């Protein structure tokens, strides 16, 4: 599970670096450590939804490869929104872990 988490983090970093301006990149750098801590704590509990996440990422990569910026935007929003739902469901099931 850690290898998949690390690959996911690398993919997101590459996409941000490729498409973000300096202000968005600075914001990403500021919040990334906190988001990564949550991700590492809860990641193993969302593996049942892994196939959905993989398809979300595949949709995003297809859009980037074809240069379809509207489809890429939709894919990013879909992935972010569904990741929030998945994380919320895990926190509801397992309780909040630690103090952030």
């Amino acid at each position: 599970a850690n290898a998949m988490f690390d690959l996911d983090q690398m993919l997101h970093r590459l996409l941000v670096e490729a498409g973000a301006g300096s202000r968005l990149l600075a914001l990403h750098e500021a919040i990334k450590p906190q988001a990564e801590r949550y991700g590492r704590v809860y990641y193993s509990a969302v593996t049942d939804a892994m196939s959905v996440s993989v398809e979300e990422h595949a949709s995003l990569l297809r859009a980037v490869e074809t240069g379809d910026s509207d489809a890429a935007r939709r894919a990013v929003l879909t992935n972010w929104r569904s990741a929030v739902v998945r994380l919320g469901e895990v926190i509801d099931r397992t309780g909040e872990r630690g103090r952030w």
Side-chain angles (χ1 to χ4, degrees):
N2 279 339
M4 287 296 288
F5 180 81
D6 291 338
L7 287 171
D8 181 68
Q9 296 302 300
M10 287 173 31
L11 172 63
H12 284 264
R13 176 65 190 193
L14 288 170
L15 290 168
V16 169
E17 286 178 350
S22 60
R23 292 178 78 191
L24 182 56
L25 189 56
L27 179 61
H28 183 262
E29 289 295 321
I31 64 169
K32 188 65 184 154
Q34 182 69 43
E36 186 173 333
R37 282 192 289 276
Y38 268 103
R40 287 200 184 276
V41 168
Y42 293 105
Y43 190 78
S44 63
V46 295
T47 55
D48 57 331
M50 188 69 64
S51 62
V52 174
S53 180
V54 167
E55 181 51 41
E56 291 168 358
H57 287 86
S59 294
L60 173 57
L61 291 175
R62 282 191 298 273
V64 169
E65 287 174 344
T66 61
D68 188 340
S69 60
D70 288 334
R73 180 184 54 79
R74 286 190 307 272
V76 166
L77 289 175
T78 296
N79 180 243
W80 284 353
R81 289 174 178 152
S82 61
V84 167
V85 169
R86 287 190 291 266
L87 179 59
E89 290 170 351
V90 168
I91 292 171
D92 285 346
R93 277 195 323 264
T94 64
E96 188 167 347
R97 301 176 185 174
R99 296 274 181 231
W100 312 102

